[in-house]
Amino acid sequence: MKLIRLSVLSVTLLAGAVAVQARSEGQGYLAPGTFDVLAILPPAPVKGDARYEADRRIFRETRALVGTPRWDMATGDVPTGQADLMRDFSCALGVTITPANAPRTEALVARARIDTGRGTNVAKDFYKRRRPFLIDRGAICQPAREVLDSYDYPSGHTTLGWTWAMLLAELAPDRATQLLARGRAYGESRIVCGVHNASAVEGGRLSATVTLAALSSSSQFQADFAAARAELAALRATGPAPDAGMCAREASLVAEPIFDPAKRR
């Protein structure tokens, strides 16, 4: 009997080690090449078409947001670590989440973001669209060197934020409105920041949405999702609430449109 128990324990530990190794080696829920984002995304805008000119106009107009509270929010949305995103969505969720108090939720998104990020990166490398501040002059909210090694379309930040927003909205559907609004604003922060065009943000949301739809039938995803849902339900019943004042300020900024910055002055 003792040998049987030790064997079961060994198998359990081995399964856990394999799961950790899979995440560390960059394995998502989808096998690479099984889903073609390029077949779904519209082509990147090119010089001379209406979308290209709309992107340029939006970039120039939103430079009026430099130095405003919305600019500060966009700057705060630059870091993309798991702890950073959990902080960014805590107000919308209504509870403070961290990798320490919500490890299963963190692990679910850590694996899903591999899939959504892979598709977006394939599209970036295919279209090779230049970032807006390389086309028109204007301030940006992070050092240019941090983004010069990748392309504009679609936005990787937006893909990541929308991955978090959609999964959290499914895990806590009663907070879906707040979570999806924050996810939309997270993508728009890249427009405010000046490092992505509006079309790239739209493309990032679409890329994340279709990839999440494709991976949702994975049995491993479903198991991880169920574990994360139980974890969040327990945490929301007892967990720490984010600062109310901070959340009110964030909600006000999320609700404001970014495309008419003249009215903010």
Side-chain angles (χ1 to χ4, degrees):
M1 182 65 72
K2 182 179 291 187
L3 289 175
I4 293 175
R5 287 174 180 168
L6 287 173
S7 297
V8 171
L9 177 60
S10 298
V11 170
T12 302
L13 291 174
L14 178 60
V18 168
V20 171
Q21 182 180 15
R23 288 197 297 274
S24 66
E25 292 177 352
Q27 295 181 16
Y29 293 104
L30 293 171
T34 60
F35 183 69
D36 186 7
V37 170
L38 286 174
I40 301 168
L41 284 176
V46 295
K47 190 174 183 178
D49 71 29
R51 292 165 65 219
Y52 185 93
E53 294 306 320
D55 278 341
R56 292 188 65 194
R57 175 180 55 78
I58 289 169
F59 172 76
R60 293 192 298 264
E61 289 181 358
T62 51
R63 293 317 84 211
L65 293 170
V66 174
T68 67
R70 187 61 183 87
W71 176 267
D72 294 338
M73 179 179 177
T75 304
D77 284 345
V78 170
T80 57
Q82 289 288 87
D84 299 309
L85 271 293
M86 296 177 95
R87 176 203 63 217
D88 292 337
F89 281 92
S90 287
C91 282
L93 185 59
V95 65
T96 299
I97 52 173
T98 68
N101 68 11
R104 293 181 177 181
T105 303
E106 189 273 334
L108 172 75
V109 185
R111 191 164 179 181
R113 71 182 279 181
I114 293 170
D115 294 307
T116 59
R118 180 188 296 121
T120 285
N121 287 333
V122 167
K124 278 179 179 286
D125 291 340
F126 180 82
Y127 288 112
K128 293 180 170 56
R129 179 149 193 234
R130 298 174 73 200
R131 291 179 181 268
F133 66 90
L134 297 175
I135 299 172
D136 292 290
R137 292 174 63 92
I140 61 176
C141 80
Q142 68 182 107
R145 64 179 181 276
E146 295 179 357
V147 294
L148 286 177
D149 63 345
S150 67
Y151 296 102
D152 172 59
Y153 182 89
S155 164
H157 264 75
T158 302
T159 298
L160 175 57
W162 200 242
T163 298
W164 270 99
M166 288 199 68
L167 288 176
L168 288 175
E170 291 187 61
L171 291 167
D174 59 306
R175 300 288 296 183
T177 297
Q178 296 91 330
L179 288 161
L180 293 171
R182 182 65 177 98
R184 182 259 305 153
Y186 187 87
E188 289 178 349
S189 284
R190 303 308 283 166
I191 300 171
V192 175
C193 193
V195 293
H196 274 299
N197 284 298
S199 62
V201 170
E202 294 169 0
R205 282 197 291 263
L206 179 57
S207 181
T209 298
V210 298
T211 306
L212 288 172
L215 66 80
S216 63
S217 62
S218 160
S219 59
Q220 185 59 62
F221 171 81
Q222 292 173 0
D224 292 347
F225 183 89
R229 182 168 52 191
E231 174 184 77
L232 272 191
L235 182 62
R236 293 179 67 198
T238 61
D243 179 80
M246 176 187 69
C247 290
R249 290 189 295 274
E250 178 182 280
S252 177
L253 291 172
V254 166
E256 290 184 9
I258 67 167
F259 297 109
D260 192 9
K263 292 183 179 180
R264 294 169 178 258
R265 292 296 184 179

